[in-house]
């Protein structure tokens, strides 16, 4: 169970706005997060990951407090180790596909399964600049999965994939999420792409 | 022709560049992370040699490290170290004078990297140091090379600051730029020309090498 209650002030065109979210996510659930642009979806994921600080709030993951502004607890992202798929992929330009995965884990069997999952087996020595947008996005997903996270945060993770690749990958991811026992939060603008994958929704309004 | 000023200059430039690389990279990293008044102040101090006349900097260094009083006297009395009119003093002056050339390009390059690279590394459980070593530093290689070459080349050409703190002692503080000036003073234009040509050639080869190396990866050092 992941219990979140946070308040974070956002800078918006008209000044400031408070992003206030209170929600519970069941262990192993896959939740779609949606809402208008600028609502704070990415910020919400980053607050959970510990990459952005909330002014006020509490995050408890499987009984462990990650954040409690009342008691001053704020666990570093390195201790939270959430899987995170960034909207801009955040791939390391100096690393090849294989080096990305080796940077995240030393488990070579797992790396080989991930490469097969993302259909990147033949591109292991390619750097991001030599990958297509879809391949880069798949690598970003594989890198986040490499650490076998208990909480996976995905920010528009399928936006650059063609419909066939997306459908196939989503089907396979469903199995992987179950296998590693991850609770997954997926930000998506597409109303249909996550059908059959998610079992919950969270709307963030402006 | 006495080549000792050339060797001394190369030795000074190499030591200065190495020291600045060791100290400058962590400072540039620290400066690139966030802003505060204290950081702005430190950055302004580091940048001062860019705009300050070298003789002014040299004059203050001469005062500060003079063995007759203050810091210089304390260093002399406590550790038997004298910076004025010694090679050590040249290294210290060059270190301070060339600092912006090492720190500036590295800091700018680090600031231009997307914040998400660091964040992605953190979410993989990597420490700030691991992130710096494996992700940030390899991705600013062209700027790092530019900073190294600029620092080295700039130290080769120092005149005012090294003259003020080091004087013109053969084999100790008489670097190539001072040897040029000294030769002209003695009306020995042939020697001045030789020293100048060697300095010109070394600097040109270094700068052109950076342009070639960075051709496909980064901006030229002048951009």
């Amino acid at each position: 169970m992941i219990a979140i209650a946070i308040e974070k002030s956002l800078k918006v065109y008209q000044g400031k706005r408070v992003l206030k979210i209170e929600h519970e996510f069941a262990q192993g659930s896959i939740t779609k997060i949606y809402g208008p642009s600028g609502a704070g979806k990415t910020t919400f994921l980053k607050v959970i990951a510990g990459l952005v600080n909330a002014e006020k709030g509490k995050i408890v993951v499987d009984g462990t407090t990650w954040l409690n502004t009342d008691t001053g607890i704020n666990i570093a992202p390195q201790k939270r180790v959430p899987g995170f798929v960034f909207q801009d992929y955040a791939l390391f330009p100096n690393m090849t596909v294989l080096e990305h995965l080796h940077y995240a884990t030393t488990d070579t069997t797992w790396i080989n399964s991930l490469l097969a999952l993302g259909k990147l087996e033949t591109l292991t020595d390619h750097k991001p600049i030599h990958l297509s947008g879809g391949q880069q996005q798949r690598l970003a997903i594989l890198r986040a999965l490499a650490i076998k996270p208990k909480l996976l945060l995905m920010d528009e993770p399928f936006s650059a994939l063609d419909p066939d690749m997306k459908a196939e990958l989503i089907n396979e991811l469903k199995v992987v999420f179950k296998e590693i026992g991850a609770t997954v939060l997926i930000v998506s603008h597409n109303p249909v792409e996550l059908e059959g994958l998610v079992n919950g929704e969270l709307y963030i309004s402006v | 022709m006495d080549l000792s000023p050339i060797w001394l200059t190369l030795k000074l430039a190499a030591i200065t560049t190495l020291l600045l690389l060791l100290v400058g990279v962590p400072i540039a990293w620290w400066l690139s992370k966030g802003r505060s008044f204290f950081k702005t102040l430190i950055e302004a101090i580091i940048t001062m040699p860019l705009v300050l006349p070298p003789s002014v900097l040299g004059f203050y260094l001469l005062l500060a490290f003079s063995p007759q009083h203050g810091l210089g006297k304390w260093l002399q009395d406590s550790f038997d170290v004298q910076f004025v009119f010694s090679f050590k003093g040249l290294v210290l002056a060059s270190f301070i004078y060339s600092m912006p050339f090492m720190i500036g390009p590295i800091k700018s390059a680090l600031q231009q990297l997307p914040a998400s690279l660091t964040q992605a590394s953190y979410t993989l459980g990597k420490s700030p140091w691991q992130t710096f070593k494996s992700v940030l530093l390899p991705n600013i290689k062209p700027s790092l090379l530019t900073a190294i070459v600029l620092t080295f080349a700039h130290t080769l050409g120092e005149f005012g600051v090294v003259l003020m703190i080091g004087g013109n002692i053969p084999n100790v503080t008489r670097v190539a730029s001072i040897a040029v000036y000294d030769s002209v003073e003695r009306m020995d234009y042939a020697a001045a020309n030789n020293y100048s040509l060697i300095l010109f050639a070394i600097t040109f080869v270094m700068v052109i090498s950076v342009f070639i190396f960075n051709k496909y990866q980064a901006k030229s050092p002048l951009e």
Side-chain angles (χ1 to χ4, degrees):
Chain A
M1 168 75 77
I2 297 168
I4 297 171
I6 55 133
E7 277 182 37
K8 163 80 186 158
S9 108
L10 300 175
K11 281 182 191 156
V12 291
Y13 181 65
Q14 295 91 341
K16 281 190 174 179
R17 185 172 66 77
V18 176
L19 172 72
K20 196 171 174 182
I21 297 173
E22 199 170 339
H23 200 86
E24 288 186 354
F25 302 91
Q27 163 71 34
S29 62
I30 303 173
T31 306
K32 172 184 168 179
I33 298 172
Y34 66 108
S37 294
K41 302 182 291 295
T42 298
T43 304
F44 177 55
L45 293 190
K46 288 193 174 178
V47 167
I48 298 172
L51 300 171
V52 168
N53 287 327
E55 282 87 30
K56 209 173 151 195
K58 205 172 172 184
I59 300 173
V60 180
V61 178
D62 297 333
T64 307
T65 303
W66 282 6
L67 175 76
N68 188 338
T69 50
D70 291 337
T71 56
I73 295 173
N74 188 2
I75 306 269
Q78 290 94 333
K79 294 268 166 58
R80 301 186 190 194
V81 278
F84 204 118
V85 181
F86 289 80
Q87 198 171 14
D88 67 352
Y89 317 147
L91 297 176
F92 308 132
N94 60 311
M95 294 189 196
T96 63
V97 168
L98 195 59
E99 284 167 348
H100 271 89
L101 301 178
H102 272 303
Y103 186 61
T105 180
T106 50
D107 185 344
T108 46
T109 316
W110 181 231
I111 287 175
N112 289 335
S113 332
L114 289 173
L115 287 169
L117 172 74
K119 302 200 169 18
L120 295 176
E121 305 105 308
T122 56
L123 302 169
T124 51
D125 59 347
H126 284 50
K127 288 188 175 173
I129 197 169
H130 297 119
L131 299 175
S132 70
Q135 289 163 344
Q136 289 184 21
Q137 196 161 39
R138 277 180 274 152
L139 176 58
I141 295 171
L142 302 188
R143 182 183 61 184
L145 286 171
I147 55 172
K148 295 188 178 173
K150 289 295 156 209
L151 176 61
L152 180 60
L153 307 166
M154 307 174 90
D155 197 356
E156 296 278 358
F158 309 118
S159 57
L161 304 183
D162 64 76
D164 290 343
M165 173 61 78
K166 194 185 296 184
E168 197 178 334
L169 183 63
I170 284 176
N171 268 333
E172 291 177 23
L173 281 177
K174 224 189 296 185
V175 179
V176 174
F177 292 162
K178 203 167 229 176
E179 193 183 314
I180 61 175
T183 304
V184 187
L185 275 58
I186 308 175
V187 167
S188 176
H189 277 298
N190 190 320
V192 291
E193 74 177 3
L194 301 180
E195 272 176 13
L197 175 69
V198 297
N199 43 35
E201 285 185 351
L202 171 65
Y203 178 73
I204 299 181
S205 60
V206 285
Chain B
M1 181 190 166
D2 176 19
L3 284 176
S4 67
I6 299 292
W7 295 124
L8 198 65
T9 305
L10 291 174
K11 186 175 146 191
L12 176 65
I15 293 173
T16 303
T17 306
L18 189 69
L19 287 176
L20 270 175
L21 191 63
L22 292 173
V23 177
V25 172
I27 292 177
W29 182 31
W30 174 70
L31 286 174
S32 72
K33 294 193 290 183
R35 306 265 340 139
S36 69
F37 177 72
F38 182 61
K39 281 189 183 180
T40 307
L41 191 71
I42 297 291
E43 202 172 347
I45 292 168
I46 289 169
T47 311
M48 280 301 281
L50 272 181
V51 289
L52 207 61
S55 51
V56 172
L57 185 68
F59 172 67
Y60 282 126
L61 287 173
L62 185 65
L63 285 187
F65 292 101
S66 163
Q68 269 79 48
H69 45 255
L71 179 64
K73 188 173 189 316
W74 177 74
L75 287 169
Q76 171 87 53
D77 294 345
S78 311
F79 306 103
D80 197 23
V81 173
Q82 191 185 320
F83 282 101
V84 172
F85 302 119
S86 70
F87 184 73
K88 282 194 285 288
L90 293 194
V91 172
L92 176 74
S94 304
F95 180 88
I96 294 169
Y97 191 48
S98 294
M99 208 178 250
F101 292 88
M102 178 64 82
I103 293 177
I106 298 174
K107 193 205 98 179
S108 297
L110 287 170
Q111 279 179 330
Q112 278 167 25
L113 290 176
S116 58
L117 293 188
T118 302
Q119 293 177 341
S121 182
Y122 285 179
T123 60
L124 296 171
K126 306 298 177 187
S127 67
W129 168 241
Q130 282 173 305
T131 302
F132 181 68
K133 183 169 63 80
S134 306
V135 177
L136 303 184
L137 211 49
N139 286 307
I140 60 157
K141 240 190 260 174
S143 298
L144 195 63
L145 182 71
T146 300
I148 289 170
V149 170
L150 276 182
T151 304
F152 193 91
H154 187 250
T155 310
L156 288 185
E158 273 174 34
F159 177 74
V161 72
V162 291
L163 184 66
M164 291 296 275
I165 199 164
N168 182 8
I169 307 168
N171 293 316
V172 181
T173 62
R174 191 174 183 235
V175 291
S177 59
I178 291 172
V180 172
Y181 179 76
D182 198 40
S183 303
V184 172
E185 283 269 280
R186 286 186 282 107
M187 306 287 280
D188 185 355
Y189 282 22
N193 190 33
N194 287 339
Y195 288 130
S196 301
L197 259 180
I198 293 173
L199 278 187
F200 181 88
I202 294 170
T203 314
F204 183 73
V205 167
M206 291 188 69
V207 173
I208 199 84
S209 305
V210 172
F211 272 84
I212 292 168
F213 185 82
N214 285 354
K215 194 176 174 188
Y216 300 106
Q217 304 184 63
K219 290 176 180 174
S220 80
L222 300 179
E223 281 178 284

